[in-house]
Amino acid sequence: MDEEGWYSVTAEVIAKHIAQRSCDKTKIVVDAFCGVGGNTIQFARQSAFVIAIDNNAQRLNFAIHNSKIYETNNNIDFILADSPTILKCFRVTNLFILIIIKN
């Protein structure tokens, strides 16, 4: 993973907790800024399906690689795109966005 990927990935225990509290096997989750896939993988473990979007090809490839390690890649569609643009194509009721403020 690259430096930004390591900085911005959600700790596994936190990502798991978020997914357990917000997902179930009847939901499709859209991870609008998936980065290297920390939350995406946990969502895939708890949800019916995940649509993972990122505008950085390298980090999206890291997310794909990481999802294969966790054996969740068959439960995720990865999309290389600008989230605000592509989300106009979906009727989304639940959208996960994690905002990190750098000091």
Side-chain angles (χ1 to χ4, degrees):
M1 292 193 315
D2 64 357
E3 185 177 341
E4 185 172 334
W6 280 112
Y7 172 81
S8 62
V9 69
T10 303
E12 187 171 358
V13 67
I14 295 169
K16 185 176 182 179
H17 179 75
I18 291 168
Q20 288 173 336
R21 294 193 46 112
S22 61
C23 300
D24 64 51
K25 291 294 182 185
T26 65
K27 293 183 180 177
I28 296 173
V29 175
V30 177
D31 189 348
F33 305 95
C34 74
V36 297
N39 289 304
T40 301
I41 290 163
Q42 296 304 323
F43 292 149
R45 289 178 156 187
Q46 299 293 325
S47 302
F49 197 76
V50 179
I51 300 168
I53 307 167
D54 205 275
N55 66 354
N56 183 293
Q58 182 180 19
R59 277 190 279 291
L60 196 66
N61 283 327
F62 288 140
I64 293 167
H65 173 77
N66 292 337
S67 72
K68 289 177 183 176
I69 291 170
Y70 282 85
E71 299 179 348
T72 57
N73 54 306
N74 291 329
N75 205 33
I76 305 168
D77 271 353
F78 293 94
I79 301 172
L80 177 62
D82 178 61
S83 291
T85 302
I86 199 166
L87 288 174
K88 294 175 186 176
C89 301
F90 294 99
R91 185 169 34 158
V92 177
T93 56
N94 291 317
L95 176 67
F96 179 76
I97 300 174
L98 179 63
I99 299 173
I100 299 173
I101 301 172
K102 280 186 172 179
N103 288 336

XYZ file of all heavy atoms in Angstrom:
813
model
N 0.842 -1.176 0.000
C 0.000 0.000 0.000
C 0.883 1.233 0.000
O 2.009 1.185 0.471
C -0.917 0.012 1.227
C -1.967 -1.078 1.184
S -3.309 -0.946 2.382
C -2.534 -0.544 3.907
N 0.329 2.331 -0.452
C 1.092 3.576 -0.459
C 0.908 4.303 0.879
O 0.140 3.882 1.741
C 0.693 4.460 -1.640
C -0.751 4.930 -1.598
O -1.504 4.529 -0.673
O -1.135 5.701 -2.480
N 1.633 5.404 1.042
C 1.616 6.141 2.303
C 0.209 6.638 2.655
O -0.236 6.515 3.796
C 2.589 7.323 2.231
C 2.715 8.078 3.538
C 3.747 9.202 3.465
O 4.607 9.184 2.563
O 3.668 10.103 4.316
N -0.484 7.189 1.681
C -1.838 7.684 1.956
C -2.778 6.536 2.311
O -3.655 6.680 3.156
C -2.392 8.457 0.761
C -3.740 9.086 1.064
C -4.225 10.015 -0.021
O -3.402 10.574 -0.765
O -5.447 10.183 -0.129
N -2.597 5.395 1.677
C -3.413 4.228 1.997
C -3.251 3.800 3.441
O -4.232 3.526 4.136
N -2.000 3.751 3.910
C -1.746 3.382 5.309
C -2.316 4.426 6.259
O -2.834 4.084 7.330
C -0.251 3.214 5.565
C 0.278 1.896 5.115
C 1.146 1.674 4.088
C -0.023 0.608 5.646
N 1.400 0.333 3.953
C 0.692 -0.353 4.898
C -0.847 0.170 6.684
C 0.615 -1.718 5.160
C -0.924 -1.196 6.939
C -0.196 -2.112 6.184
N -2.220 5.691 5.877
C -2.724 6.764 6.740
C -4.247 6.740 6.829
O -4.828 6.932 7.888
C -2.254 8.132 6.215
C -2.890 9.280 6.951
C -2.386 9.695 8.179
C -4.007 9.928 6.448
C -2.974 10.732 8.882
C -4.598 10.967 7.135
C -4.091 11.363 8.351
O -4.675 12.379 9.040
N -4.904 6.498 5.707
C -6.355 6.692 5.659
C -7.179 5.430 5.885
O -8.387 5.524 6.069
C -6.751 7.322 4.323
O -6.402 6.469 3.252
N -6.556 4.248 5.881
C -7.337 3.028 6.086
C -7.864 2.994 7.523
O -7.167 3.359 8.475
C -6.508 1.763 5.766
C -5.394 1.534 6.773
C -7.408 0.544 5.651
N -9.109 2.598 7.660
C -9.725 2.467 8.976
C -9.180 1.213 9.646
O -9.085 0.154 9.004
C -11.259 2.345 8.838
O -11.745 3.483 8.129
C -11.937 2.269 10.193
N -8.830 1.323 10.927
C -8.343 0.156 11.668
C -9.367 -0.967 11.558
O -10.581 -0.731 11.596
C -8.104 0.528 13.120
N -8.882 -2.195 11.414
C -9.777 -3.330 11.155
C -10.855 -3.488 12.215
O -12.024 -3.725 11.892
C -8.959 -4.618 11.040
C -9.787 -5.806 10.620
C -8.950 -7.033 10.291
O -7.711 -6.967 10.359
O -9.556 -8.059 9.959
N -10.500 -3.347 13.471
C -11.488 -3.520 14.541
C -12.586 -2.456 14.446
O -13.763 -2.732 14.695
C -10.800 -3.545 15.934
C -10.183 -2.185 16.280
C -11.774 -4.003 16.994
N -12.225 -1.245 14.064
C -13.214 -0.170 13.921
C -14.078 -0.404 12.684
O -15.308 -0.261 12.734
C -12.522 1.203 13.876
C -11.841 1.480 15.223
C -13.513 2.313 13.520
C -10.921 2.671 15.229
N -13.456 -0.781 11.568
C -14.213 -1.062 10.344
C -15.199 -2.203 10.575
O -16.346 -2.149 10.116
C -13.258 -1.398 9.204
N -14.776 -3.216 11.302
C -15.654 -4.350 11.610
C -16.835 -3.893 12.454
O -17.983 -4.283 12.202
C -14.853 -5.434 12.332
C -15.621 -6.695 12.593
C -14.725 -7.753 13.212
C -15.488 -9.053 13.426
N -14.617 -10.080 14.006
N -16.572 -3.067 13.443
C -17.637 -2.549 14.323
C -18.643 -1.715 13.527
O -19.857 -1.879 13.692
C -17.018 -1.716 15.450
C -18.016 -1.135 16.379
N -18.681 -1.884 17.329
C -18.495 0.135 16.489
C -19.521 -1.102 17.985
N -19.422 0.125 17.499
N -18.150 -0.837 12.659
C -19.032 -0.012 11.825
C -19.906 -0.908 10.951
O -21.121 -0.707 10.847
C -18.213 0.965 10.954
C -17.547 2.034 11.832
C -19.094 1.628 9.897
C -16.491 2.858 11.106
N -19.301 -1.901 10.324
C -20.045 -2.799 9.438
C -21.089 -3.605 10.204
O -22.229 -3.761 9.741
C -19.083 -3.733 8.713
N -20.737 -4.095 11.365
C -21.683 -4.881 12.159
C -22.886 -4.054 12.589
O -23.998 -4.552 12.661
C -20.990 -5.475 13.389
C -20.055 -6.600 13.051
C -19.242 -7.073 14.234
O -19.024 -6.337 15.209
N -18.775 -8.308 14.164
N -22.658 -2.783 12.863
C -23.747 -1.919 13.333
C -24.588 -1.344 12.201
O -25.703 -0.905 12.429
C -23.193 -0.797 14.190
C -22.592 -1.332 15.493
C -22.332 -0.259 16.491
N -23.431 0.655 16.637
C -24.189 0.777 17.719
N -23.945 0.004 18.736
N -25.140 1.659 17.771
N -24.052 -1.311 10.988
C -24.767 -0.607 9.913
C -25.195 -1.490 8.741
O -25.891 -1.025 7.856
C -23.909 0.539 9.390
O -22.693 0.048 8.863
N -24.804 -2.752 8.731
C -25.074 -3.606 7.572
C -25.820 -4.862 7.979
O -25.749 -5.294 9.111
C -23.760 -4.030 6.919
S -22.754 -2.675 6.341
N -26.510 -5.431 6.996
C -27.041 -6.778 7.141
C -27.107 -7.415 5.762
O -26.879 -6.752 4.755
C -28.394 -6.801 7.860
C -29.486 -6.089 7.102
O -29.682 -6.372 5.905
O -30.179 -5.249 7.703
N -27.402 -8.682 5.720
C -27.337 -9.453 4.472
C -28.407 -9.056 3.460
O -28.437 -9.581 2.363
C -27.432 -10.944 4.774
C -26.212 -11.488 5.493
C -24.983 -11.431 4.608
C -23.780 -12.028 5.303
N -22.560 -11.890 4.543
N -29.283 -8.115 3.812
C -30.300 -7.660 2.859
C -29.898 -6.354 2.178
O -30.591 -5.896 1.275
C -31.653 -7.436 3.550
O -31.533 -6.358 4.492
C -32.105 -8.697 4.266
N -28.787 -5.759 2.600
C -28.415 -4.436 2.105
C -27.284 -4.478 1.082
O -26.377 -5.291 1.166
C -27.977 -3.530 3.255
C -29.092 -3.177 4.205
C -28.611 -2.232 5.273
C -29.744 -1.885 6.222
N -29.296 -1.030 7.308
N -27.376 -3.561 0.144
C -26.273 -3.278 -0.762
C -25.642 -1.983 -0.261
O -26.324 -0.980 -0.070
C -26.750 -3.111 -2.210
C -27.333 -4.432 -2.716
C -25.593 -2.650 -3.105
C -27.979 -4.324 -4.074
N -24.347 -2.018 -0.033
C -23.633 -0.867 0.509
C -22.819 -0.214 -0.601
O -22.185 -0.902 -1.393
C -22.692 -1.306 1.657
C -21.848 -0.142 2.150
C -23.490 -1.915 2.791
N -22.832 1.107 -0.633
C -21.964 1.866 -1.522
C -20.897 2.528 -0.664
O -21.211 3.347 0.200
C -22.750 2.939 -2.319
C -21.786 3.752 -3.174
C -23.832 2.294 -3.168
N -19.647 2.137 -0.874
C -18.513 2.777 -0.211
C -17.957 3.780 -1.216
O -17.247 3.417 -2.150
C -17.468 1.748 0.192
C -16.373 2.326 1.078
O -16.300 3.564 1.199
O -15.589 1.543 1.625
N -18.322 5.037 -1.037
C -18.080 6.069 -2.050
C -16.615 6.447 -2.222
O -16.234 6.946 -3.280
C -18.890 7.315 -1.718
N -15.820 6.219 -1.209
C -14.393 6.553 -1.260
C -13.637 5.383 -0.638
O -13.119 5.492 0.464
C -14.124 7.858 -0.510
C -14.969 9.002 -0.994
C -16.162 9.321 -0.371
C -14.587 9.732 -2.106
C -16.955 10.364 -0.828
C -15.369 10.778 -2.582
C -16.558 11.095 -1.935
N -13.549 4.268 -1.350
C -13.105 3.012 -0.733
C -11.612 2.964 -0.423
O -11.195 2.171 0.415
C -13.514 1.826 -1.581
S -12.556 1.582 -3.088
N -10.813 3.776 -1.083
C -9.375 3.749 -0.805
C -8.802 2.359 -0.999
O -9.036 1.725 -2.021
N -8.093 1.841 -0.003
C -7.460 0.532 -0.105
C -8.360 -0.603 0.379
O -7.952 -1.756 0.415
C -6.099 0.500 0.629
C -5.120 1.477 -0.015
C -6.259 0.783 2.108
N -9.597 -0.284 0.762
C -10.599 -1.307 1.011
C -10.847 -1.742 2.436
O -11.542 -2.731 2.659
N -10.325 -1.037 3.422
C -10.515 -1.448 4.815
C -11.976 -1.599 5.204
O -12.394 -2.643 5.712
N -12.767 -0.566 4.970
C -14.197 -0.639 5.279
C -14.926 -1.515 4.276
O -15.830 -2.268 4.646
C -14.821 0.760 5.296
C -14.363 1.562 6.480
O -14.506 1.142 7.614
N -13.795 2.718 6.229
N -14.556 -1.436 3.024
C -15.203 -2.213 1.969
C -15.209 -3.697 2.306
O -16.238 -4.375 2.163
C -14.477 -1.993 0.623
O -14.503 -0.610 0.300
C -15.098 -2.787 -0.484
N -14.087 -4.211 2.754
C -13.958 -5.635 3.084
C -14.903 -6.008 4.221
O -15.589 -7.032 4.159
C -12.498 -5.974 3.424
C -11.652 -5.893 2.149
C -12.364 -7.325 4.115
C -10.158 -5.813 2.393
N -14.959 -5.192 5.244
C -15.851 -5.492 6.371
C -17.318 -5.367 5.968
O -18.157 -6.155 6.410
C -15.517 -4.600 7.565
C -14.132 -4.821 8.130
C -13.869 -6.266 8.525
O -14.743 -6.967 9.029
N -12.647 -6.728 8.294
N -17.636 -4.384 5.127
C -19.000 -4.277 4.612
C -19.364 -5.541 3.839
O -20.474 -6.050 3.949
C -19.152 -3.059 3.700
C -19.057 -1.734 4.392
C -18.541 -0.643 3.721
C -19.485 -1.555 5.690
C -18.457 0.600 4.335
C -19.401 -0.322 6.321
C -18.885 0.761 5.640
N -18.430 -6.049 3.038
C -18.689 -7.248 2.231
C -18.938 -8.476 3.110
O -19.680 -9.373 2.723
C -17.524 -7.501 1.281
N -18.353 -8.496 4.267
C -18.570 -9.617 5.184
C -19.954 -9.564 5.833
O -20.464 -10.592 6.266
C -17.502 -9.616 6.277
C -16.143 -10.013 5.776
C -15.132 -9.947 6.890
N -14.016 -10.834 6.570
C -13.036 -11.095 7.413
N -13.032 -10.565 8.614
N -12.068 -11.896 7.060
N -20.528 -8.371 5.915
C -21.794 -8.193 6.636
C -22.991 -7.920 5.740
O -24.127 -7.990 6.198
C -21.662 -7.024 7.630
C -20.615 -7.195 8.687
C -20.933 -8.307 9.662
O -22.091 -8.529 9.996
N -19.929 -9.029 10.122
N -22.774 -7.590 4.476
C -23.834 -7.127 3.590
C -24.084 -8.097 2.447
O -23.297 -8.999 2.188
C -23.458 -5.765 2.984
O -23.222 -4.831 3.998
N -25.179 -7.843 1.739
C -25.495 -8.642 0.567
C -24.488 -8.387 -0.544
O -24.079 -9.309 -1.246
C -26.905 -8.323 0.082
N -24.079 -7.138 -0.696
C -23.177 -6.771 -1.785
C -22.619 -5.382 -1.521
O -23.248 -4.566 -0.849
C -23.932 -6.776 -3.120
C -23.018 -6.822 -4.314
C -22.393 -8.000 -4.673
C -22.774 -5.683 -5.058
C -21.533 -8.047 -5.766
C -21.929 -5.719 -6.152
C -21.315 -6.908 -6.508
N -21.431 -5.092 -2.058
C -20.794 -3.786 -1.894
C -20.391 -3.237 -3.256
O -19.839 -3.964 -4.087
C -19.546 -3.864 -0.982
C -18.886 -2.498 -0.841
C -19.902 -4.424 0.384
N -20.671 -1.966 -3.464
C -20.166 -1.231 -4.616
C -19.098 -0.298 -4.062
O -19.391 0.578 -3.249
C -21.278 -0.435 -5.320
C -22.361 -1.392 -5.817
C -20.692 0.399 -6.460
C -23.617 -0.697 -6.267
N -17.853 -0.522 -4.463
C -16.716 0.241 -3.942
C -16.199 1.172 -5.037
O -15.828 0.720 -6.112
C -15.616 -0.711 -3.487
N -16.175 2.460 -4.727
C -15.790 3.471 -5.711
C -14.564 4.229 -5.212
O -14.506 4.622 -4.044
C -16.935 4.478 -5.946
C -18.239 3.754 -6.304
C -16.566 5.498 -7.020
C -19.465 4.637 -6.247
N -13.614 4.453 -6.096
C -12.496 5.335 -5.784
C -11.992 5.932 -7.092
O -12.132 5.325 -8.152
C -11.362 4.604 -5.068
C -10.532 5.564 -4.228
O -9.608 6.192 -4.775
O -10.826 5.710 -3.020
N -11.415 7.120 -7.000
C -10.920 7.797 -8.204
C -9.416 7.621 -8.407
O -8.841 8.205 -9.305
C -11.279 9.283 -8.197
C -10.570 10.046 -7.096
O -9.884 9.461 -6.264
N -10.744 11.351 -7.077
N -8.796 6.784 -7.575
C -7.363 6.539 -7.674
C -7.144 5.077 -8.059
O -7.440 4.166 -7.273
C -6.688 6.861 -6.341
C -5.189 6.690 -6.389
O -4.695 5.576 -6.525
N -4.466 7.793 -6.263
N -6.638 4.839 -9.267
C -6.478 3.478 -9.780
C -5.550 2.633 -8.915
O -5.820 1.445 -8.688
C -5.964 3.517 -11.214
N -4.470 3.219 -8.424
C -3.526 2.447 -7.615
C -4.185 1.974 -6.319
O -4.078 0.811 -5.949
C -2.282 3.282 -7.300
C -1.246 2.506 -6.509
C -0.009 3.321 -6.197
O -0.024 4.546 -6.251
N 1.079 2.652 -5.878
N -4.894 2.880 -5.630
C -5.544 2.481 -4.384
C -6.695 1.505 -4.646
O -6.940 0.596 -3.845
C -5.985 3.699 -3.587
C -4.812 4.254 -2.774
C -5.229 5.293 -1.781
N -5.407 6.607 -2.376
C -4.433 7.353 -2.851
N -3.190 6.932 -2.800
N -4.685 8.535 -3.350
N -7.387 1.660 -5.756
C -8.446 0.713 -6.095
C -7.844 -0.676 -6.341
O -8.414 -1.687 -5.896
C -9.217 1.194 -7.323
C -10.558 0.515 -7.541
C -11.538 0.850 -6.424
C -11.147 0.920 -8.872
N -6.680 -0.729 -6.975
C -6.001 -2.019 -7.150
C -5.564 -2.620 -5.822
O -5.617 -3.837 -5.639
C -4.816 -1.882 -8.105
C -5.253 -1.806 -9.544
O -6.244 -2.419 -9.927
N -4.529 -1.055 -10.346
N -5.140 -1.774 -4.888
C -4.826 -2.263 -3.542
C -6.085 -2.838 -2.890
O -6.032 -3.875 -2.224
C -4.257 -1.146 -2.657
C -2.851 -0.720 -3.002
C -2.508 0.620 -2.974
C -1.872 -1.638 -3.328
C -1.219 1.037 -3.277
C -0.569 -1.237 -3.630
C -0.249 0.103 -3.599
N -7.211 -2.166 -3.057
C -8.474 -2.641 -2.484
C -8.863 -4.000 -3.076
O -9.298 -4.900 -2.348
C -9.583 -1.618 -2.718
N -8.704 -4.144 -4.372
C -8.996 -5.423 -5.022
C -8.089 -6.516 -4.471
O -8.546 -7.612 -4.112
C -8.855 -5.293 -6.553
C -9.951 -4.376 -7.106
C -8.889 -6.667 -7.218
C -9.718 -3.923 -8.541
N -6.790 -6.208 -4.378
C -5.826 -7.165 -3.829
C -6.192 -7.547 -2.390
O -6.219 -8.740 -2.040
C -4.415 -6.556 -3.876
C -3.379 -7.377 -3.186
N -2.833 -8.517 -3.740
C -2.803 -7.232 -1.969
C -1.953 -9.040 -2.890
N -1.923 -8.276 -1.821
N -6.490 -6.546 -1.565
C -6.827 -6.806 -0.164
C -8.112 -7.627 -0.046
O -8.219 -8.505 0.818
C -6.951 -5.496 0.609
C -5.614 -4.807 0.759
O -4.567 -5.442 0.677
N -5.631 -3.495 0.944
N -9.087 -7.370 -0.911
C -10.334 -8.129 -0.852
C -10.111 -9.594 -1.222
O -10.809 -10.476 -0.716
C -11.395 -7.503 -1.765
O -11.090 -7.729 -3.126
N -9.140 -9.862 -2.085
C -8.808 -11.253 -2.416
C -8.178 -11.956 -1.219
O -8.459 -13.132 -0.961
C -7.879 -11.304 -3.625
C -8.581 -10.933 -4.917
C -7.619 -10.911 -6.090
C -8.347 -10.470 -7.361
N -7.417 -10.343 -8.501
N -7.341 -11.247 -0.480
C -6.725 -11.815 0.729
C -7.802 -12.200 1.737
O -7.739 -13.256 2.362
C -5.716 -10.822 1.358
C -4.504 -10.667 0.441
C -5.294 -11.278 2.758
C -3.565 -9.551 0.840
N -8.816 -11.342 1.894
C -9.901 -11.586 2.850
C -11.038 -12.421 2.238
O -12.048 -12.653 2.883
C -10.456 -10.265 3.380
C -9.589 -9.639 4.436
C -8.515 -8.828 4.094
C -9.835 -9.859 5.791
C -7.704 -8.249 5.062
C -9.043 -9.288 6.763
C -7.977 -8.483 6.395
O -7.186 -7.916 7.368
N -10.862 -12.843 0.993
C -11.833 -13.673 0.281
C -13.229 -13.047 0.232
O -14.244 -13.717 0.401
C -11.885 -15.079 0.882
C -10.554 -15.805 0.791
C -10.564 -17.183 1.408
O -11.523 -17.544 2.118
O -9.574 -17.912 1.185
N -13.263 -11.746 -0.003
C -14.537 -11.030 -0.141
C -14.715 -10.456 -1.539
O -15.715 -9.794 -1.811
C -14.628 -9.882 0.892
O -13.514 -9.009 0.722
C -14.663 -10.404 2.319
N -13.768 -10.692 -2.435
C -13.774 -10.065 -3.760
C -14.982 -10.452 -4.613
O -15.388 -9.688 -5.482
C -12.475 -10.348 -4.512
C -12.157 -11.821 -4.614
O -12.109 -12.520 -3.602
N -11.943 -12.305 -5.818
N -15.596 -11.609 -4.377
C -16.770 -12.009 -5.144
C -18.036 -11.283 -4.692
O -19.080 -11.419 -5.325
C -16.995 -13.520 -5.055
C -15.915 -14.287 -5.787
O -15.363 -13.801 -6.771
N -15.595 -15.463 -5.304
N -17.933 -10.535 -3.618
C -19.075 -9.822 -3.051
C -18.962 -8.311 -3.264
O -19.700 -7.546 -2.653
C -19.153 -10.145 -1.551
C -20.531 -9.993 -0.984
O -21.511 -10.234 -1.667
N -20.609 -9.577 0.264
N -18.015 -7.898 -4.106
C -17.735 -6.469 -4.286
C -17.581 -6.161 -5.774
O -16.891 -6.877 -6.491
C -16.423 -6.059 -3.576
C -16.446 -6.450 -2.103
C -16.169 -4.558 -3.739
C -15.083 -6.340 -1.419
N -18.207 -5.077 -6.210
C -17.909 -4.493 -7.521
C -17.052 -3.265 -7.289
O -17.446 -2.374 -6.521
C -19.186 -4.070 -8.254
C -19.782 -5.176 -9.089
O -19.152 -6.238 -9.219
O -20.897 -4.977 -9.601
N -15.889 -3.215 -7.920
C -14.987 -2.080 -7.798
C -15.153 -1.184 -9.023
O -15.137 -1.669 -10.148
C -13.540 -2.552 -7.691
C -13.258 -3.304 -6.423
C -13.342 -4.687 -6.379
C -12.925 -2.621 -5.266
C -13.084 -5.381 -5.217
C -12.671 -3.308 -4.081
C -12.755 -4.688 -4.062
N -15.289 0.102 -8.775
C -15.494 1.059 -9.863
C -14.479 2.180 -9.738
O -14.411 2.848 -8.699
C -16.920 1.645 -9.825
C -17.958 0.528 -9.941
C -17.103 2.680 -10.930
C -19.384 0.988 -9.729
N -13.700 2.385 -10.799
C -12.770 3.510 -10.865
C -13.544 4.698 -11.422
O -13.892 4.722 -12.605
C -11.578 3.173 -11.760
C -10.557 4.293 -11.979
C -9.909 4.703 -10.655
C -9.493 3.838 -12.973
N -13.852 5.653 -10.555
C -14.667 6.798 -10.973
C -14.644 7.870 -9.901
O -14.233 7.648 -8.766
C -16.106 6.359 -11.229
N -15.136 9.021 -10.280
C -15.344 10.135 -9.361
C -16.700 9.912 -8.682
O -17.738 9.911 -9.360
C -15.331 11.448 -10.147
C -15.594 12.633 -9.262
O -14.799 12.870 -8.334
O -16.616 13.313 -9.492
N -16.703 9.690 -7.380
C -17.930 9.332 -6.662
C -19.083 10.308 -6.848
O -20.198 9.884 -7.150
C -17.642 9.142 -5.174
O -16.868 7.994 -4.993
N -18.875 11.614 -6.662
C -20.014 12.530 -6.839
C -20.652 12.440 -8.225
O -21.861 12.572 -8.373
C -19.403 13.910 -6.597
C -18.243 13.647 -5.696
C -17.693 12.322 -6.174
N -19.843 12.154 -9.234
C -20.372 12.041 -10.593
C -21.149 10.743 -10.772
O -22.284 10.743 -11.255
C -19.226 12.109 -11.620
O -18.535 13.344 -11.448
C -19.754 12.007 -13.037
N -20.564 9.634 -10.362
C -21.202 8.336 -10.603
C -22.412 8.100 -9.700
O -23.349 7.407 -10.078
C -20.197 7.173 -10.497
C -20.767 5.935 -11.196
C -19.824 6.884 -9.070
C -19.769 4.860 -11.458
N -22.417 8.690 -8.514
C -23.539 8.469 -7.605
C -24.843 9.059 -8.127
O -25.921 8.663 -7.685
C -23.214 9.004 -6.205
C -22.189 8.173 -5.448
C -21.817 8.844 -4.133
C -22.693 6.757 -5.208
N -24.748 9.957 -9.069
C -25.955 10.493 -9.694
C -26.712 9.403 -10.454
O -27.890 9.544 -10.734
C -25.601 11.649 -10.634
C -25.057 12.854 -9.913
C -24.612 13.920 -10.896
C -23.934 15.062 -10.160
N -23.411 16.064 -11.090
N -26.026 8.308 -10.780
C -26.630 7.198 -11.527
C -27.360 6.210 -10.620
O -28.088 5.356 -11.100
C -25.562 6.433 -12.299
S -24.639 7.440 -13.467
N -27.148 6.305 -9.314
C -27.739 5.362 -8.373
C -28.829 6.018 -7.549
O -28.774 7.215 -7.270
C -26.681 4.846 -7.375
C -25.601 4.015 -7.991
C -24.367 4.569 -8.295
C -25.802 2.675 -8.255
C -23.356 3.806 -8.842
C -24.797 1.903 -8.812
C -23.572 2.466 -9.101
N -29.781 5.215 -7.116
C -30.741 5.671 -6.118
C -30.248 5.085 -4.798
O -30.501 3.923 -4.484
C -32.140 5.179 -6.445
C -33.151 5.737 -5.496
C -34.565 5.504 -5.908
N -34.783 4.253 -6.588
C -35.955 3.664 -6.672
N -37.007 4.213 -6.128
N -36.087 2.518 -7.312
N -29.508 5.874 -4.053
C -28.825 5.404 -2.851
C -29.610 5.838 -1.617
O -29.960 7.000 -1.465
C -27.382 5.972 -2.792
C -26.694 5.548 -1.517
C -26.589 5.532 -4.007
N -29.848 4.873 -0.717
C -30.494 5.198 0.549
C -29.502 5.215 1.707
O -29.691 5.933 2.668
C -31.625 4.206 0.872
O -31.088 2.885 0.869
C -32.744 4.320 -0.143
N -28.436 4.407 1.605
C -27.399 4.387 2.631
C -26.047 4.514 1.962
O -25.674 3.675 1.147
C -27.438 3.090 3.451
C -28.652 2.997 4.311
O -29.045 3.969 4.930
N -29.272 1.831 4.346
N -25.328 5.541 2.317
C -24.026 5.819 1.720
C -23.020 5.981 2.846
O -23.266 6.719 3.804
C -24.106 7.094 0.890
C -22.827 7.605 0.261
C -22.340 6.638 -0.814
C -23.067 8.979 -0.353
N -21.893 5.280 2.748
C -20.866 5.403 3.773
C -19.797 6.376 3.308
O -19.185 6.171 2.272
C -20.220 4.048 4.092
C -19.142 4.158 5.126
C -19.466 4.318 6.449
C -17.815 4.135 4.771
C -18.484 4.447 7.410
C -16.813 4.255 5.710
C -17.144 4.408 7.037
N -19.604 7.420 4.069
C -18.519 8.361 3.833
C -17.832 8.612 5.157
O -18.466 9.029 6.122
C -19.040 9.706 3.253
C -19.750 9.467 1.918
C -17.891 10.692 3.101
C -20.416 10.705 1.364
N -16.555 8.334 5.219
C -15.772 8.587 6.408
C -14.922 9.809 6.144
O -14.150 9.844 5.181
C -14.874 7.387 6.738
C -13.963 7.516 7.949
C -14.791 7.669 9.222
C -13.047 6.326 8.040
N -15.069 10.815 6.957
C -14.317 12.052 6.774
C -13.168 12.063 7.782
O -13.362 11.941 8.982
C -15.212 13.283 6.976
C -16.336 13.258 5.936
C -14.390 14.559 6.898
C -17.382 14.308 6.131
N -11.972 12.244 7.257
C -10.771 12.337 8.093
C -10.203 13.738 7.937
O -9.958 14.194 6.821
C -9.725 11.297 7.684
C -10.302 9.880 7.856
C -8.444 11.472 8.493
C -9.396 8.801 7.321
N -10.009 14.390 9.051
C -9.452 15.739 9.024
C -7.993 15.665 9.455
O -7.693 15.200 10.555
C -10.243 16.696 9.949
C -11.709 16.750 9.492
C -9.614 18.064 9.979
C -12.619 17.490 10.424
N -7.098 16.069 8.552
C -5.666 16.080 8.875
C -5.343 17.378 9.624
O -5.801 18.438 9.259
C -4.832 16.048 7.597
C -4.686 14.719 6.980
C -3.708 14.836 5.811
C -3.356 13.493 5.264
N -2.427 13.612 4.127
N -4.523 17.248 10.640
C -4.050 18.439 11.356
C -2.797 18.952 10.709
O -1.996 18.294 10.201
C -3.765 18.109 12.820
C -5.056 17.896 13.577
O -6.103 18.400 13.183
N -4.986 17.138 14.650
